[in-house]
Amino acid sequence: MADFYELLQVSRGATAEEIKRAYRQRARQLHPDANPGDSRSEAEFKEVARAYETLSDPQRRQHYDMYGEAGPQGGSPFGGGGGGGLGDIFDMFFNGGSPFTSGGSTSGPPRGSDVEAILDLEFTEAVFGCEATVSVRSAVSCAECEGTGANAASGPVTCSECGGAGQVRRVRQSILGQMVTAGPCGRCGGFGTIIERPCSACAGEGRHLEDCSYDVDVPAGVETGTRMRLSGRGAVGPRNGAAGDLFVHLRVAPHDRFVRRDNDLIAELLIAFTQATLGAQIPFETLDGEEIIPVEPGTKSGSVLRFRGKGVPHLQSRGRGDLLVQLLIETPEDLDEEQRALLEKLAVLRDEDIDPPDLGLLAKLRGAFK
């Protein structure tokens, strides 16, 4: 199992900015689009992304530094980390508290709630990816008491009922004999400490509401409805409880010329009937720059030209969709006498009947159907 710091090529004491900068450099080097057909680079690209996801989050980085990727307990030889096995038996008889551990999952300050926000993106930002900032109003740790909830002069006091464990164990009789159960301490509410003199700034909560801004690395290929998760960026729990997660819902503005269909881009191009008849090469501005649209002689209205690899990048794999340009023939409405005469001569040469309707009669017919 590769070391996350080695994958990103940084030291274990690297700052958050150094880790972010190293990740971007490694991601550019290993991206599948830069190494087509190289399965080894693609696999390492995914490992680097996993390493950055862990080391960019302060709490997950601290946990990794202490225990490594496997965690403090490692994998179970009985359950393989899945459901069933001895863990379910312990849950059944000990209310989630294994007899081989110091306590259950209910002790200590509770985790903070998750927070949701909407991030509006321009069409091109969603196609190519970008760095954006999302703002939310969320609970943050109180600076006055450093999140403890207690007055700085006194501090929190260890609960005498549970001895700071946040749980109390009770012995009861059952059909299997004497059993030990554990539950939250009623005196401290499961925190393990008592606040005798609450902090005046947060009223003992250890947190308060504040407007927060977070930088979001939006990957290429997202669309409206895509949800991004920022671990540990939600509301902090009371009295130094762990923070929840921030879920960012993306909303993409429409483009004035392009419509997205899966990973393809659809566009329309108006061409003159003379260009459709005789052929032409027409400049067309795509999201990647100018392309020349080759209009073959005799092109029919509604014809579609496909430009491979000029669409939207695939979100979780390499490659891009296509750009489809539909050609629509525009009929001129402002002919002068010379142009009309030339067209009439063309009609005669092609033996095509032309007989424009009487404008007065046409106006009467239109009025009858209103």
Side-chain angles (χ1 to χ4, degrees), residues 52-70:
Y52 176 68
E53 183 180 359
T54 298
L55 298 185
S56 62
D57 182 271
Q59 290 182 338
R60 295 178 65 180
R61 180 181 179 181
Q62 182 181 16
H63 188 274
Y64 177 79
D65 289 343
M66 293 175 64
Y67 306 113
E69 187 178 5

Side-chain angles (χ1 to χ4, degrees), residues 260-337:
R260 179 173 177 175
R261 186 177 67 193
D262 296 329
N263 287 310
D264 292 336
L265 291 176
I266 315 296
E268 294 179 347
L269 176 62
L270 292 177
I271 61 174
F273 80 98
T274 51
Q275 294 173 320
T277 303
L278 303 176
Q281 297 188 58
I282 303 175
F284 181 76
E285 194 67 31
T286 73
L287 296 183
D288 293 280
E290 187 178 278
E291 287 281 345
I292 299 299
I293 305 295
V295 180
E296 297 184 359
T299 294
K300 294 180 174 58
S301 186
S303 299
V304 176
L305 299 180
R306 181 184 293 269
F307 295 84
R308 299 196 178 277
K310 296 295 183 180
V312 180
H314 298 288
L315 184 58
Q316 295 181 336
S317 62
R318 58 183 158 193
R320 295 175 60 176
D322 300 334
L323 168 63
L324 285 75
V325 180
Q326 185 177 37
L327 304 179
L328 301 177
I329 299 177
E330 187 176 23
T331 302
E333 299 178 354
D334 55 349
L335 297 175
D336 58 28
E337 292 184 5

Side-chain angles (χ1 to χ4, degrees), residues 29-46:
Q29 294 172 347
L30 300 170
H31 196 279
D33 286 346
N35 302 274
D38 190 341
S39 58
R40 182 175 179 180
S41 293
E42 184 175 359
E44 191 171 354
F45 175 78
K46 294 177 181 178

Side-chain angles (χ1 to χ4, degrees), residues 86-368:
L86 296 182
D88 289 344
I89 298 176
F90 292 148
D91 286 343
M92 184 186 304
F93 292 109
F94 296 96
N95 291 337
S98 167
F100 305 113
T101 60
S102 60
S105 59
T106 57
S107 62
R111 175 182 181 271
S113 60
D114 294 332
V115 177
E116 299 194 30
I118 294 177
L119 177 60
D120 289 307
L121 298 173
E122 294 298 327
F123 191 87
T124 52
E125 291 177 326
V127 170
F128 296 115
C130 66
E131 286 188 9
T133 301
V134 62
S135 298
V136 294
R137 187 164 181 79
S138 181
V140 299
S141 182
C142 175
E144 185 72 22
C145 63
E146 298 182 345
T148 64
N151 184 285
S154 60
V157 179
T158 301
C159 176
S160 58
E161 182 74 18
C162 64
Q167 289 187 344
V168 291
R169 295 179 179 273
R170 298 177 178 85
V171 180
R172 65 182 178 87
Q173 295 294 328
S174 72
I175 58 174
L176 298 178
Q178 196 176 66
M179 303 294 293
V180 179
T181 60
C185 174
R187 185 166 187 266
C188 65
F191 283 88
T193 57
I194 300 294
I195 304 299
E196 295 180 341
R197 296 177 59 189
C199 169
S200 59
C202 64
E205 182 73 9
R207 58 181 183 169
H208 59 86
L209 289 177
E210 189 174 290
D211 292 325
C212 307
S213 296
Y214 299 105
D215 293 331
V216 181
D217 287 323
V218 180
V222 298
E223 59 185 324
T224 295
T226 299
R227 189 180 75 163
M228 299 181 63
R229 175 181 178 180
L230 278 66
S231 300
R233 295 293 186 268
V236 300
R239 291 160 60 179
N240 282 329
D245 298 332
L246 171 60
F247 291 93
V248 181
H249 300 267
L250 304 183
R251 186 167 57 188
V252 182
H255 197 275
D256 58 350
R257 291 191 300 121
F258 297 99
V259 175
R260 179 173 177 175
R261 186 177 67 193
D262 296 329
N263 287 310
D264 292 336
L265 291 176
I266 315 296
E268 294 179 347
L269 176 62
L270 292 177
I271 61 174
F273 80 98
T274 51
Q275 294 173 320
T277 303
L278 303 176
Q281 297 188 58
I282 303 175
F284 181 76
E285 194 67 31
T286 73
L287 296 183
D288 293 280
E290 187 178 278
E291 287 281 345
I292 299 299
I293 305 295
V295 180
E296 297 184 359
T299 294
K300 294 180 174 58
S301 186
S303 299
V304 176
L305 299 180
R306 181 184 293 269
F307 295 84
R308 299 196 178 277
K310 296 295 183 180
V312 180
H314 298 288
L315 184 58
Q316 295 181 336
S317 62
R318 58 183 158 193
R320 295 175 60 176
D322 300 334
L323 168 63
L324 285 75
V325 180
Q326 185 177 37
L327 304 179
L328 301 177
I329 299 177
E330 187 176 23
T331 302
E333 299 178 354
D334 55 349
L335 297 175
D336 58 28
E337 292 184 5
E338 182 181 3
Q339 292 170 341
R340 183 177 296 278
L342 288 173
L343 285 179
E344 290 174 349
K345 183 177 181 180
L346 176 62
V348 171
L349 292 174
R350 292 180 55 82
D351 196 21
E352 296 173 348
D353 293 332
I354 56 172
D355 186 15
D358 180 79
L359 295 180
L361 177 61
L362 185 60
K364 291 179 181 179
L365 290 174
R366 287 175 178 170

